[in-house]
Amino acid sequence: MTRIRVGLLGIGTVGAGTFTVLKRNQAEISRRAGREIAITVVADLDTNRARSIVGDDIEVVSDAQQVVSRDDVDVVIELIGGYGIAKTLVLAAIEAGKHVVTANKALLAVHGTEIFAAAARKGVIVAYEAAVAGGIPIIKALREGLVANRIDWVAGIVNGTTNFILSEMRDKGLDFASVLKEAQRLGYAEADPTFDIEGIDAAHKTALMSAIAFGIPVQFDKAHIEGITKLERVDIQYAEQLGYRIKLLGIAKRTDKGVELRVHPSLVPARRLIASVEGAMNAVVVHGDALGTTLYYGAGAGSEPTASAVIADLVDIARLQGADPAHYTPVLGFQSASLNAAQSSLPVLPIEEVVTSYYLRARVSDEPGVLAKITTILSEHGVSIDALLQRESDDVLGEGADQTDLIILTHRTREGTMNDALASIQSLPTVLGSVVRLRKEELN
Ligand code: NDP
Ligand code: HSE
């Protein structure tokens, strides 16, 4: 069979890994694909560095625009990143009738609907396994392996940088800034690390997973997003004492009223497997009605792990080359005509309508009646208490200490109700500073 000719746009961390793995495992990959997959042209702004990676036998150009419409390119891999030139190049490649592989979750989360529609019109594939959880084949699992199931929820650690930061801060007592620098050095972090630490990258990925899990359009703009920058070490410690780990979770959950789509630090029971996921590793838990709970674990970032997913997409395309587009796996796993109808029956819920349990920490004056006032307010709002702890944290100990921390775990309640209760608690003169509120996910 004729070989597949690939134009690679951007040979940075993931691009270089893709080139290396494809070259190293070429024979095996060709046997799997049924034909040779050859990168024939590479476009990168830094042509000298690109040439030092690919050698003299492969064409290197600086202008990616000229690659996307060439007759001698069958598939375009976009590994530049961002919404700017990447979007122009992806749409131009589709327009020129090329299949596209991308790891660019930001692009697909924000412009996916437009890009997928363009691809459907031209009868080409847009493949994006590497865009969610790096090397873990979660797109394939959700879109193909779990098709028999009605998916109830998906919850994942889908950002390696923040998981690495949380792990290092807890284990080694390192400070936030130095761990972030290390994550950048290791190639995990986005070009703009704000995307990582503010939860935006995880929300991009969770919005994509929610679309595939429930058959709704990608709605990143409706996701509730909180990162880890406001998380305090003392809460990580208290959570441990209560038997929980704090993880930045991306959650997509189907409820009777609609879909919860949220990213925030969450307390997870320490006994759950996902609580043990450390460093830059990712893990996604999926609950389907037939199979129950499954866990997908692996490297969510890095050069060769991400390349593994990029090449898996290339092989899928190589196997389908020449097939009728009607036989392609639907881009979001559901027939595209059904997506908009599902959107009205499964709207993304505002955060106030989310129902979950909570971890609350109030720093209070250590005097009689304080606890009673707080528990009374919770009770008046119908919030039921699950566990309660009083601790003197290191920074309030010492001579004349007259403050203490009250930590309360609640049962499930509506976020809007919790907001009202917290506003009342916050107004008590004996409550010092802002009450910390974290959400707790049992994942059972
Ligand atoms: P890098 O920044 O390492 O690589 C991007 C490359 O694209 C650089 O070599 C850059 O060149 C080049 N480039 C920039 N603009 C252009 C242009 N106009 N034309 C041609 N080349 C250009 O990024 P990553 O490899 O880390 O990420 C690539 C994509 O993969 C992103 O969408 C990212 O979100 C995604 N991703 C990354 C993962 C990771 O672990 N790193 C994991 C999963 C997904 P120069 O350096 O000279 O600017
Ligand atoms: N910045 C991302 C992360 C890369 O840290 O997980 C993988 O998408």
Side-chain angles (χ1 to χ4, degrees):
M1 275 202 241
T2 52
R3 64 182 189 152
I4 294 279
R5 298 157 304 177
V6 178
L8 173 60
L9 314 182
I11 189 157
T13 303
V14 183
T18 301
F19 178 82
T20 305
V21 175
L22 202 48
K23 188 172 172 198
R24 189 172 68 227
N25 298 339
Q26 194 176 48
E28 197 107 346
I29 291 167
S30 300
R31 280 177 59 213
R32 287 182 164 131
R35 61 180 80 207
E36 187 194 342
I37 299 172
I39 293 178
T40 51
V41 54
V42 171
D44 198 285
L45 297 181
D46 189 340
T47 50
N48 288 334
R49 200 194 37 179
R51 212 164 270 121
S52 74
I53 297 167
V54 303
D56 295 327
D57 296 339
I58 292 173
E59 187 182 350
V60 173
V61 298
S62 59
D63 179 11
Q65 288 278 3
Q66 59 147 290
V67 172
V68 294
S69 54
R70 278 166 60 149
D71 289 341
D72 59 353
V73 166
D74 305 304
V75 182
V76 167
I77 310 182
E78 183 278 305
L79 294 175
I80 292 173
Y83 317 103
I85 184 71
K87 182 184 177 199
T88 308
L89 292 167
V90 164
L91 287 173
I94 291 169
E95 195 49 40
K98 314 295 180 197
H99 300 298
V100 173
V101 176
T102 180
N104 193 337
K105 55 270 164 159
L107 177 65
L108 295 182
V110 176
H111 299 291
T113 303
E114 178 185 351
I115 289 168
F116 297 150
R121 277 197 303 275
K122 294 300 282 190
V124 296
I125 295 168
V126 173
Y128 55 95
E129 183 64 70
V132 182
I136 304 173
I138 187 64
I139 302 295
K140 203 154 197 86
L142 282 170
R143 218 167 55 165
E144 297 174 45
L146 298 174
V147 281
N149 290 261
R150 180 182 191 273
I151 307 287
D152 301 311
W153 52 264
V154 177
I157 297 171
V158 286
N159 184 267
T161 302
T162 43
N163 204 51
F164 180 74
I165 292 173
L166 290 175
S167 303
E168 295 284 290
M169 283 174 72
R170 196 192 60 242
D171 288 351
K172 302 183 182 160
L174 296 173
D175 66 277
F176 181 88
S178 66
V179 188
L180 173 60
K181 273 205 189 91
E182 179 65 358
Q184 288 174 297
R185 191 187 67 75
L186 292 167
Y188 305 145
E190 295 303 301
D192 177 359
T194 315
F195 275 36
D196 295 299
I197 60 181
E198 294 297 357
I200 299 163
D201 176 72
H204 288 149
K205 295 164 179 168
T206 310
L208 286 166
M209 288 196 292
S210 70
I212 305 166
F214 309 129
I216 54 176
V218 183
Q219 296 164 84
F220 166 72
D221 56 329
K222 296 191 182 137
H224 175 82
I225 310 173
E226 291 171 32
I228 62 165
T229 49
K230 296 196 184 90
L231 197 59
E232 292 180 50
R233 214 175 130 63
V234 67
D235 294 307
I236 297 176
Q237 287 164 348
Y238 289 150
E240 295 247 26
Q241 290 169 23
L242 288 158
Y244 292 85
R245 290 267 169 94
I246 299 185
K247 296 288 178 189
L248 184 73
L249 286 190
I251 298 167
K253 191 182 282 184
R254 186 201 296 256
T255 75
D256 292 343
K257 292 182 176 167
V259 168
E260 295 181 4
L261 178 53
R262 49 194 172 99
V263 170
H264 48 71
S266 306
L267 274 77
V268 179
R271 63 184 181 281
R272 299 267 178 268
L273 284 174
I274 195 170
S276 311
V277 173
E278 301 288 11
M281 301 306 274
N282 281 195
V284 181
V285 186
V286 182
H287 190 272
D289 67 339
L291 180 58
T293 304
T294 46
L295 171 71
Y296 307 83
Y297 167 84
S303 182
E304 292 202 6
T306 311
S308 167
V310 170
I311 295 168
D313 280 344
L314 278 177
V315 170
D316 274 353
I317 289 172
R319 287 169 173 164
L320 281 167
Q321 182 76 353
D324 183 334
H327 297 151
Y328 298 165
T329 304
V331 69
L332 292 174
F334 287 73
Q335 299 301 326
S336 54
S338 72
L339 298 178
N340 286 333
Q343 188 177 12
S344 49
S345 58
L346 273 178
V348 175
L349 298 170
I351 187 67
E352 291 74 19
E353 293 303 323
V354 162
V355 177
T356 188
S357 47
Y358 293 86
Y359 161 103
L360 308 176
R361 173 174 59 87
R363 185 151 292 177
V364 297
S365 308
D366 198 0
E367 58 187 71
V370 178
L371 177 60
K373 280 188 189 132
I374 292 178
T375 55
T376 301
I377 290 173
L378 289 172
S379 153
E380 282 168 358
H381 285 82
V383 178
S384 165
I385 293 172
D386 180 29
L388 208 146
L389 192 69
Q390 178 171 339
R391 280 281 186 279
E392 263 128 43
S393 95
D394 293 348
D395 54 332
V396 295
L397 279 177
E399 205 181 327
D402 54 1
Q403 301 175 8
T404 190
D405 281 338
L406 290 178
I407 301 107
I408 299 172
L409 299 185
T410 76
H411 287 295
R412 284 160 57 79
T413 191
R414 236 183 97 256
E415 176 104 1
T417 307
M418 181 52 79
N419 290 345
D420 294 342
L422 281 182
S424 299
I425 292 172
Q426 195 69 72
S427 67
L428 295 172
T430 43
V431 170
L432 316 164
S434 297
V435 179
V436 172
R437 171 248 307 270
L438 295 168
R439 299 174 192 88
K440 184 163 81 64
E441 304 297 329
E442 290 300 325
L443 301 181
N444 52 11

